[in-house]
Amino acid sequence: MNNNQLTHQYDVAIVGGGFSGTMVAVHLLQAQKGLHIALFDRGKAAGRGVAYGTTDPKHLLNVQAGQMGAFPDDIGHFYRWLQAHPENVTAAKITDLAPDAFVPRLVFGDYIQDLLRKACEISDDLEILRDEIVDIVRTENGNFRLTSKEGKQLEAAQVVLALGNFPPNKTKKGSKEDWPWFSNNPYSAEICAQLAEPGDVLIIGTGLTSLDVMLTLAPIKREGKIHFLSRGGLFPQPHQKYKTHPSFLDAEYLPKTTRLLLRCIHQELRSATAKGVDWRAVIDAIRPFNQAIWQGLNQEERKRFMRHLRGLWDTHRHRCAPEIMATKQHLEAEGRVVCHRGHIQNYRPVGDRIEVSYRPTGTNEKKTLLVRQVLSCTGPQSDYRKLDDSLVRQLLERDLLAPDPLRMGAYTYEGEKVCDRTGNPIDRLYTLGSPQKGRLYESIAVPELRGQAVAVANRILQTAKN
């Protein structure tokens, strides 16, 4: 077939089949408006993405089951689904199902796939295409022409970029052949098998992904230590039950500077602690205002927040299941996990090992670790200029995507619209989730994503109607 020949035309093309893209498709199908929809997913199964594509039952959600419903007006939907699907609960090795349980992420993937399956039973307007989009061009009639990795082309009136998170950069020196001992793919079975072999290993980063790797290695790595290294040395704080705390912020007078925000939170924490209130209740009381606070900060204040508060905020805001932190503490007590704070200076081969030189945070000292493998879990790469992704490169070149001014995802506008490099919204081109982090900051968790999915679907339906 000629690569320039259009094979299909669609009303909507959704690029990305993780939670966000799948839920946009679900809402469009449930609306039953007869829109012809294409959902592109380069993974094995639409609905899972990276987050819920894990097969390890030790990888847990970091939100309680009773709060993880995929619909913003029915947050208990997921828990009721679990109750109605005991076979999935058993397969995921859940022994004590409760609304406050932190269940395996794989079963949440089952849930999203089931929602998609049921939506497809309502309407047959969706085509799920196992392919990767590598280019998008705006046509003369205002539609979008999409080209896949296999060379197929299609045209769509509206496009949703559900791009998800991109992996961290590999290394400054590049290829796998250069540094075969280095990886940035924490969910690769092959990489985890290599890490499990005898000998010390280094995990760069101390976030939720790093803890996932630790959980996978804990039962299978019997010889050698797992070293963690990050600049701040901060791990996600564990969840804990608490009594809710009343809101202490006024939506009309939110802090406009990082200093004022810190002072406001610190004062409330001090007052709450004196009354025996857990700090988690105070942090969670801020959640309804998180996006508004971020949008109220100017660019300089946002930079200041990123420099001074980001690590502290993220580890207290995005917490982990208490079982996970208990495992970490147990492994530390056994000497199997060792944590370090510092800045990596250099890598040097020493025989069949790698000497990692680092400077401990706050000092001018130099320390070294001798390890067999290094895994980067430094968090998603959000500077789109640095991505090794065919689609993003083409979109940037064609001005159908622009980096956020702070290099935190894409330049976006209210209504989940994608902007060009001048900041003008691009008609009928939408995004949600991680690409919107620069505009919203809090834009990666299901409670935010489920609302965005509804908003995108409603905008698509309204545009199609007009």
Side-chain angles (χ1 to χ4, degrees), residues 239-259:
H239 280 286
Q240 182 175 300
K241 292 181 180 180
Y242 61 80
K243 292 183 179 179
T244 58
H245 188 68
S247 174
F248 58 94
L249 295 175
D250 186 336
E252 298 297 321
Y253 300 98
L254 294 174
K256 298 296 183 182
T257 69
T258 300
R259 186 186 297 274

Side-chain angles (χ1 to χ4, degrees), residues 185-289:
N185 189 355
Y187 296 109
S188 163
E190 178 185 356
I191 296 301
C192 285
Q194 292 174 4
L195 294 169
E197 293 174 3
D200 287 11
V201 297
L202 172 62
I203 298 175
I204 308 171
T206 52
L208 292 166
T209 301
S210 302
L211 293 176
D212 278 349
V213 177
M214 178 199 72
L215 293 170
T216 296
L217 294 178
I220 60 177
K221 185 172 181 62
R222 293 304 177 186
E223 294 183 39
K225 295 179 169 131
I226 302 169
H227 294 272
F228 286 108
L229 174 65
S230 69
R231 295 183 178 184
L234 299 173
F235 284 85
Q237 293 292 306
H239 280 286
Q240 182 175 300
K241 292 181 180 180
Y242 61 80
K243 292 183 179 179
T244 58
H245 188 68
S247 174
F248 58 94
L249 295 175
D250 186 336
E252 298 297 321
Y253 300 98
L254 294 174
K256 298 296 183 182
T257 69
T258 300
R259 186 186 297 274
L260 187 58
L261 174 63
L262 182 60
R263 183 186 306 159
C264 180
I265 296 175
H266 183 263
Q267 289 176 346
E268 191 66 22
L269 284 170
R270 187 167 52 188
S271 172
T273 300
K275 300 174 184 176
V277 176
D278 189 88
W279 62 263
R280 295 166 181 82
V282 176
I283 297 300
D284 288 354
I286 304 170
R287 183 164 191 168
F289 305 99

Side-chain angles (χ1 to χ4, degrees), residues 60-74:
L60 307 179
L61 294 171
N62 63 337
V63 176
Q64 298 170 337
Q67 303 292 315
M68 280 291 287
F71 304 97
D73 58 352
D74 188 3

Side-chain angles (χ1 to χ4, degrees), residues 125-243:
D125 293 321
L126 176 70
E127 289 186 44
I128 300 175
L129 304 169
R130 306 293 179 200
D131 203 348
E132 178 182 353
I133 296 299
V134 295
D135 194 10
I136 300 177
V137 179
R138 198 73 189 256
T139 63
E140 292 182 359
N141 64 4
N143 288 342
F144 299 90
R145 180 175 298 125
L146 295 81
T147 303
S148 77
K149 193 171 185 178
E150 295 181 357
K152 297 178 181 178
Q153 291 192 343
L154 62 94
E155 189 169 306
Q158 303 189 69
V159 171
V160 180
L161 300 176
L163 303 177
N165 288 321
F166 293 94
N169 283 353
K170 294 181 180 179
T171 69
K172 292 181 179 179
K173 292 196 176 182
S175 71
K176 184 176 180 181
E177 290 71 26
D178 291 335
W179 287 1
W181 41 267
F182 188 99
S183 174
N184 67 340
N185 189 355
Y187 296 109
S188 163
E190 178 185 356
I191 296 301
C192 285
Q194 292 174 4
L195 294 169
E197 293 174 3
D200 287 11
V201 297
L202 172 62
I203 298 175
I204 308 171
T206 52
L208 292 166
T209 301
S210 302
L211 293 176
D212 278 349
V213 177
M214 178 199 72
L215 293 170
T216 296
L217 294 178
I220 60 177
K221 185 172 181 62
R222 293 304 177 186
E223 294 183 39
K225 295 179 169 131
I226 302 169
H227 294 272
F228 286 108
L229 174 65
S230 69
R231 295 183 178 184
L234 299 173
F235 284 85
Q237 293 292 306
H239 280 286
Q240 182 175 300
K241 292 181 180 180
Y242 61 80
K243 292 183 179 179

Side-chain angles (χ1 to χ4, degrees), residues 37 64 77 92 107 140 172 206 260 295 318 358 371 403:
I37 308 161
Q64 298 170 337
H77 188 268
V107 77
E140 292 182 359
K172 292 181 179 179
T206 52
L260 187 58
Q295 292 179 316
H318 298 285
Y358 72 97
V371 299

Side-chain angles (χ1 to χ4, degrees), residues 268-417:
E268 191 66 22
L269 284 170
R270 187 167 52 188
S271 172
T273 300
K275 300 174 184 176
V277 176
D278 189 88
W279 62 263
R280 295 166 181 82
V282 176
I283 297 300
D284 288 354
I286 304 170
R287 183 164 191 168
F289 305 99
N290 285 346
Q291 293 181 351
I293 292 172
W294 177 258
Q295 292 179 316
L297 301 178
N298 62 33
Q299 289 295 88
E300 287 304 312
E301 288 300 326
R302 291 182 183 184
K303 290 178 183 178
R304 189 169 287 115
F305 177 93
M306 296 297 288
R307 283 196 306 269
H308 302 296
L309 291 184
R310 180 183 185 179
L312 193 63
W313 173 258
D314 286 353
T315 53
H316 286 74
R317 166 67 185 82
H318 298 285
R319 303 189 281 273
C320 68
E323 303 96 302
I324 295 175
M325 192 51 59
T327 299
K328 172 185 171 287
Q329 292 168 349
H330 175 72
L331 293 173
E332 280 186 286
E334 289 185 335
R336 296 173 59 195
V337 161
V338 184
C339 303
H340 312 269
R341 295 175 63 223
H343 305 249
I344 291 179
Q345 305 292 297
N346 191 35
Y347 299 102
R348 184 173 70 92
V350 179
D352 62 348
R353 297 292 188 266
I354 299 300
E355 182 185 82
V356 183
S357 302
Y358 72 97
R359 176 173 59 82
T361 301
T363 77
N364 291 318
E365 301 176 41
K366 177 183 176 181
K367 292 189 176 182
T368 60
L369 297 170
L370 199 61
V371 299
R372 189 177 48 75
Q373 293 280 329
V374 177
L375 175 67
S376 176
C377 295
T378 54
Q381 175 55 266
S382 58
D383 186 346
Y384 285 6
R385 301 169 306 165
K386 298 179 179 179
L387 289 176
D388 182 20
D389 183 88
S390 300
L391 176 58
V392 171
R393 284 200 307 269
Q394 290 298 105
L395 290 173
L396 291 173
E397 182 178 330
R398 301 185 188 286
D399 202 17
L400 290 175
L401 186 72
D404 170 76
L406 291 183
R407 308 300 183 240
M408 296 171 58
Y411 203 161
T412 63
Y413 185 74
E414 62 184 40
E416 286 64 46
K417 294 180 179 179

